[in-house]
């Protein structure tokens, strides 16, 4: 029992959980009130004699109550006021005598015997915990007549293993639990159920849950609410539940139709106005950090109107995107960027682009908590309802979705939606969404909300500096490389970047950079050129890839795949037109077998067909030559040569 000084020091009534005394009977409530009043007087340093006279609680009983109150409950907190209730049990029953077989049979007279068995044999308790950890049992939750109940699956095998462990410890038929009729299976079931449900995470895991949700988590300090447009934006990726096709021409010129994998739709949405600021469509099996950066670029750059080929599909009279409707929103940045904990979202390039290049805050919420980003999740639900579910080839939200059977084209590729069609439909759907009245905006459209906030509400916007607008390639984390060169061989200085040599006139004309470290900034969509800076920050200009790598448009994924195939000697060693033809034939062969191969073929063809100047112009500064490079080149007429007759004086 604690002394008076130790007890007063250990008691902190402010940390005790409250207790509702109204649930007690009237006579029990009076006893509880007297005990509580005595505890409060004791903590206030009231004399023991006064406590006894005012409350009627004896001093010995007072010390016993204090000791009970500071004991730890199974929920991890102390008992506190709960221990003041008459006949409240604060400790488990401790058996002292040895369990003996009752002459009538059954398990009579064995109260507390199972707990004593585990106390005498700690290895048995550890074995039970290990079986629970290894999921040797499962928990089924069901609704019974008296409320929510659970049952154990696998108890029979667990009990057999438990008895085997008991025998290995030397227990005989005269020892508990082998001397009872049920061999302790009920006590084992009760203990296993209690330990399995002691922590919700463990119980959910035993019940088959793959992840947990609903746990309240404290918000990150400093994350404000969205009071204006461009204060807070949300980002997420959604895989469209639609089977798609692509139409390409084979090397002989004939059209081929292939079914591709489902595509990813990556969207950035403004929280205050619910407006879609930008989006990106990815054909990859899983979207990467480069796709996230391309989505950020799409939200920053002024939106360019698209030309539609489908009849009846377009922006409409009011549809569009904020940066397309209001030119002043081009390159407008936001304060907070909310996203989930996906691996691609937390890539180093993404963190650098948001925190260092743009200067905004990142808020990566806890895993498996879509409620932390409700607006983007609700938006994807609208896209699935208004677009995906109305298309042929809709896969449904689950395997038993009746809409999946109704939208099944029965393998007829001609009825599938093509990739170009879904891109036009997505553009039109997002533009229409921005012009549709929203319940959360009191009937206003997202575009109207943005216009009101920017032009009528006096919102103070931040824009990307002019220098960074011209160099969006600097959004990527710089790649550190070392300048190589061989004087004895006459090999000019260069750098190796993803298996290809890069150089320019400045770097190749001097040997002073040999062995030094350079920082390369690149555009993952076009690796024909990179931008180089020295270690002290000085710019060396644009380095061009050597050979055909500097002429043929390709992205980082295509570069890595070609280099890998070249290393395995599956294709020719030099990149040229023959190499590309062989590479495309290799892709065509895979596309005929799998949807993944068809997606890779589509991505490759789209990359190779990219405009030869658009991506390269992003890398260089906007000089006069770069501006004139977008104009069509003038045709050079051949000059007629006059050859003399050979006679003297012939003209």
């Amino acid at each position: 029992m604690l002394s008076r000084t130790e007890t007063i020091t250990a008691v902190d009534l402010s940390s005790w959980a409250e207790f509702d005394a109204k649930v007690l009977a009237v006579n029990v409530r009076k006893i509880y009130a007297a005990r509580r009043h005595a505890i409060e007087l004791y903590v206030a340093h009231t004399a023991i004699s006064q406590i006894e006279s005012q409350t009627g609680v004896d001093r010995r009983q007072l010390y016993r109550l204090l000791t009970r109150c500071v004991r730890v409950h199974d929920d991890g907190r102390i008992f506190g006021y709960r221990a003041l209730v008459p006949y409240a049990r604060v400790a488990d029953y401790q058996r002292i005598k040895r369990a003996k077989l009752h002459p009538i049979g059954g398990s009579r007279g064995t109260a507390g015997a199972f707990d004593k068995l585990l106390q005498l044999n700690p290895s048995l308790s550890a074995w039970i915990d290990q079986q629970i950890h290894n999921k040797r049992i499962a928990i089924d939750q069901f609704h019974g007549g008296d409320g929510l109940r659970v049952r154990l699956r696998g108890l029979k095998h667990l009990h057999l293993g438990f008895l085997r462990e008991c025998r290995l410890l030397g227990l005989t038929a005269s020892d508990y639990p082998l001397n009872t009729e049920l061999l302790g299976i009920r006590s084992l079931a009760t203990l296993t159920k209690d330990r399995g449900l002691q922590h919700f995470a463990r119980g959910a895991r035993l019940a088959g849950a793959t992840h947990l949700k609903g746990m309240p988590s404290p918000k990150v300090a400093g994350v404000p609410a969205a009071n204006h447009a461009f204060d807070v934006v949300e980002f997420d990726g959604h895989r469209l539940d639609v089977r798609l096709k692509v139409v390409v021409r084979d090397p002989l010129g004939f059209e081929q139709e292939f079914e591709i994998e489902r595509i990813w739709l990556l969207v950035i949405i403004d929280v205050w106005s619910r407006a879609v600021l930008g989006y990106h469509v990815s054909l990859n099996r899983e979207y990467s950090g480069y796709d996230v950066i391309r989505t950020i670029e799409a939200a920053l750059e002024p939106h360019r109107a698209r030309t539609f080929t489908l009849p009846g599909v377009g922006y409409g009279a009011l549809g569009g995107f904020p940066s397309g409707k209001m030119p002043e929103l081009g390159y407008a940045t936001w304060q907070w960027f909310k996203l989930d904990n996906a691996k691609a979202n937390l890539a180093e390039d993404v963190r650098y682009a948001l925190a260092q290049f743009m200067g905004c805050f990142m808020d990566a919420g806890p895993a498996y908590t879509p409620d932390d980003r409700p607006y983007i999740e609700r938006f994807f639900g609208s896209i699935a309802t208004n677009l995906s579910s109305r298309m042929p080839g809709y896969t449904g939200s689950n395997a038993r979705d009746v809409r999946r059977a109704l939208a099944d084209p029965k393998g007829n590729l001609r009825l599938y939606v093509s990739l170009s069609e879904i891109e036009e439909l997505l553009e039109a759907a997002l533009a229409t969404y921005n012009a549709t009245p929203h319940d959360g905006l009191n009937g206003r459209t997202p575009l109207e909300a943005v216009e009101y906030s920017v032009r009528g509400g006096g919102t103070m916007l931040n824009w990307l500096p002019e220098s960074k607008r011209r160099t969006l390639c600097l959004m990527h984390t710089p790649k550190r490389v070392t300048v190589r060169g061989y004087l004895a061989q006459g090999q000019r200085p260069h750098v190796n970047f993803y298996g290809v040599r890069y150089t320019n006139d400045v770097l190749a004309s001097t040997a002073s950079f040999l062995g030094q470290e350079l920082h390369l900034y690149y555009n993952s969509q076009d690796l024909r050129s990179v931008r180089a800076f020295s270690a002290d920050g000085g710019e060396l200009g644009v380095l061009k890839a050597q050979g055909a790598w500097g002429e043929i448009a390709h992205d980082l994924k295509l570069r890595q795949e070609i280099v890998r195939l070249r290393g395995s000697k599956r294709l020719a060693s030099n990149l040229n037109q023959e190499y590309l033809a062989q590479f495309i034939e290799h892709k065509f062969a895979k596309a005929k077998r799998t949807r993944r191969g068809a997606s890779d073929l589509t991505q490759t063809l789209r990359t190779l067909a990219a405009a030869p100047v658009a991506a390269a112009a992003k890398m260089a500064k906007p000089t006069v030559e770069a501006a004139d490079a977008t104009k069509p080149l003038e045709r050079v007429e051949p000059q007629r040569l006059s050859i003399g007759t050979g006679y003297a004086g012939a003209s």
Side-chain angles (χ1 to χ4, degrees):
M1 183 176 296
L2 297 177
S3 64
R4 175 182 173 87
T5 304
E6 293 174 342
T7 305
I8 295 178
T9 305
V11 173
D12 181 13
L13 297 182
S14 62
S15 63
W16 289 15
E18 274 296 336
F19 184 80
D20 185 12
K22 295 180 181 180
V23 300
L24 303 177
V26 177
N27 56 338
V28 178
R29 193 187 311 169
K30 292 181 180 180
I31 301 176
Y32 168 82
R35 291 179 174 181
R36 176 165 180 167
H37 186 45
I39 294 293
E40 293 173 348
L41 292 176
Y42 179 82
V43 175
H45 302 281
T46 306
I48 296 295
S49 58
Q50 295 182 11
I51 296 177
E52 291 178 333
S53 61
Q54 293 182 24
T55 63
V57 178
D58 185 76
R59 64 182 62 196
R60 290 176 296 181
Q61 185 183 16
L62 177 61
Y63 284 117
R64 184 181 66 86
L65 292 175
L66 283 172
T67 305
R68 288 164 52 89
C69 290
V70 296
R71 293 180 67 95
V72 180
H73 193 272
D74 292 338
D75 60 6
R77 302 177 299 173
I78 63 174
F79 273 88
Y81 294 120
R82 293 175 288 183
L84 301 179
V85 178
Y87 309 109
R89 180 175 296 179
V90 297
D92 295 331
Y93 173 73
Q94 299 292 331
R95 186 179 183 88
I96 300 177
K97 294 184 178 180
R98 183 174 181 270
K100 297 182 179 179
L101 183 64
H102 198 275
I104 303 179
S107 300
R108 295 176 176 85
T110 58
F114 195 85
D115 291 337
K116 183 179 180 181
L117 174 67
L118 298 183
Q119 291 177 3
L120 296 177
N121 302 278
S123 60
L124 279 179
S125 180
W127 182 86
I128 295 175
D129 290 335
Q130 187 64 33
Q131 300 306 304
I132 296 175
H133 177 75
N134 295 337
K135 299 177 65 174
R136 299 302 182 187
I137 61 154
I139 294 179
D140 291 333
Q141 181 181 359
F142 64 96
H143 292 271
D146 54 349
L148 201 61
R149 302 180 62 186
V150 295
R151 67 164 64 95
L152 298 179
R153 280 190 290 114
L155 179 61
K156 179 179 179 181
H157 296 284
L158 180 69
H159 184 236
L160 293 177
F162 176 75
L163 296 180
R164 184 170 57 253
E165 293 293 324
C166 291
R167 294 187 179 97
L168 291 177
L169 293 175
L171 299 180
T172 62
S174 60
D175 299 319
Y176 180 87
L178 302 179
N179 61 353
T180 61
E181 182 178 356
L182 299 179
L183 303 177
I185 189 172
R186 291 183 177 177
S187 299
L188 177 63
T190 302
L191 178 68
T192 305
K193 187 184 301 182
D194 292 341
R195 292 189 178 182
L197 298 177
Q198 184 177 8
H199 301 287
F200 181 83
R202 180 188 298 175
R205 183 170 173 264
L206 295 176
T210 57
H211 59 271
L212 304 178
K213 54 186 178 181
M215 182 69 175
S217 57
K219 294 292 183 180
V220 179
V223 178
N227 298 320
H228 303 282
F230 290 86
D231 280 350
V232 183
V233 299
E234 292 182 359
F235 165 84
D236 204 354
H238 173 68
R239 202 170 188 180
L240 297 180
D241 298 327
V242 180
R243 301 178 67 178
L244 303 172
K245 70 175 180 180
V246 62
V247 181
V248 297
R249 291 186 178 273
D250 60 13
L252 298 179
F254 295 99
E255 288 189 351
Q256 298 282 348
E257 292 183 346
F258 301 107
E259 182 182 355
I260 64 176
E261 292 183 313
R262 290 179 291 170
I263 61 177
W264 285 93
L265 173 64
L266 286 72
V267 175
I268 294 178
I269 189 172
D270 180 62
V271 171
W272 189 84
S273 64
R274 316 293 200 272
V276 176
L277 303 181
Y279 74 98
H280 170 64
V281 175
S282 174
L283 299 180
N284 298 326
R285 192 177 187 88
E286 296 290 340
Y287 71 87
S288 63
Y290 300 109
D291 293 318
V292 178
I293 293 180
R294 294 180 68 176
T295 310
I296 297 174
E297 293 177 356
L300 290 174
E301 295 176 342
H303 184 266
R304 299 177 182 178
R306 185 188 184 100
T307 302
F308 295 93
T309 59
L310 294 177
V313 177
Y315 295 110
L318 303 176
F321 291 81
S323 59
K325 290 288 187 178
M326 288 164 277
E328 65 269 26
L329 295 181
Y331 298 102
T333 60
W334 41 83
Q335 299 293 329
W336 285 90
F337 192 86
K338 302 184 66 174
L339 68 171
D340 59 17
N341 280 277
K343 185 177 180 180
N345 298 346
L346 301 181
E348 182 180 358
D349 285 337
V350 176
R351 297 199 303 267
Y352 177 86
L354 293 172
Q356 302 295 330
F357 187 81
M358 292 182 55
C360 70
F361 300 97
M362 289 180 61
D363 179 25
Y368 305 111
T369 54
D371 294 340
D372 193 58
R373 298 167 301 280
Y375 305 105
I376 192 73
E377 297 293 341
R378 180 65 182 89
F379 166 77
F380 284 138
S382 300
I383 289 296
T385 302
N386 300 325
L387 183 64
S388 302
S389 60
R390 300 185 179 185
M391 293 183 181
Y394 176 61
T395 59
S397 58
N398 55 73
R400 293 184 292 273
D401 195 338
V402 67
R403 294 174 295 180
R404 177 172 183 163
L406 295 176
D408 189 3
K410 308 300 181 183
N412 189 355
L413 281 178
R414 293 178 299 176
L415 300 179
Y416 284 3
V417 179
S418 67
L419 179 60
S420 59
E421 291 173 345
I422 192 64
E423 288 178 336
E424 292 189 12
L425 291 174
L426 284 174
E427 176 83 7
L430 298 183
T432 304
Y433 168 83
N434 284 336
T436 303
H438 200 287
D439 294 339
L441 302 175
N442 295 327
R444 296 185 180 90
T445 67
L447 286 175
E448 292 174 348
V450 173
E451 183 177 6
Y452 170 78
S453 177
V454 174
R455 295 180 176 178
T459 301
M460 301 295 293
L461 295 178
N462 294 322
W463 287 274
L464 203 64
E466 186 68 28
S467 58
K468 292 186 177 181
R469 301 181 192 182
R470 301 193 304 263
T471 57
L472 287 182
C473 66
L474 300 183
M475 190 178 296
H476 292 275
T477 305
K479 183 78 172 182
R480 297 183 178 181
V481 296
T482 303
V483 179
R484 305 295 182 185
Y486 308 96
L487 296 174
Q489 302 176 9
Q491 180 63 53
R492 291 185 176 275
H494 62 276
V495 297
N496 294 320
F497 182 65
Y498 286 108
V500 177
R501 290 183 176 182
Y502 287 78
T503 190
N504 64 358
D505 295 338
V506 177
L507 182 63
S509 61
T510 177
S512 59
F513 290 102
L514 290 177
Q516 294 189 13
E517 186 179 78
L518 300 183
H519 294 177
L520 299 186
Y521 292 90
Y522 60 97
N523 182 5
S524 61
Q525 306 173 46
D526 192 346
L527 292 184
R528 289 175 293 180
S529 59
V530 297
R531 197 167 180 180
F533 293 82
S534 61
D536 58 1
E539 183 181 4
L540 294 181
V542 176
L543 307 184
K544 185 179 179 181
Q546 300 298 292
W549 291 107
E551 305 298 334
I552 300 175
H554 61 284
D555 59 2
L556 179 59
K557 181 181 179 182
L558 183 60
R559 162 81 66 83
Q560 292 174 332
E561 185 175 1
I562 292 178
V563 172
R564 184 172 61 253
L565 288 175
R566 186 176 61 182
S568 61
K569 298 182 180 180
R570 293 186 180 182
L571 296 175
S573 59
N574 297 324
L575 180 64
N576 48 35
Q577 296 299 330
E578 180 182 358
Y579 180 96
L580 286 179
Q582 187 180 4
F583 182 72
I584 296 301
E585 290 179 1
H586 183 72
K587 289 285 185 180
F588 261 101
K590 287 187 175 181
K592 294 179 180 179
R593 297 193 298 266
T594 62
R595 290 186 296 169
R596 183 176 184 180
S599 298
D600 291 341
L601 172 64
T602 306
Q603 181 70 22
T604 301
L605 295 178
R606 287 161 62 95
T607 302
L608 294 175
V613 189
K618 294 181 180 180
M619 299 297 302
K621 290 184 177 180
T623 59
V624 177
E625 292 77 11
D628 293 339
T630 59
K631 300 179 181 179
L633 298 177
E634 297 181 359
R635 182 177 180 180
V636 180
E637 298 292 340
Q639 297 181 358
R640 183 177 298 277
L641 301 179
S642 58
I643 303 177
T645 60
Y647 294 100
S651 58

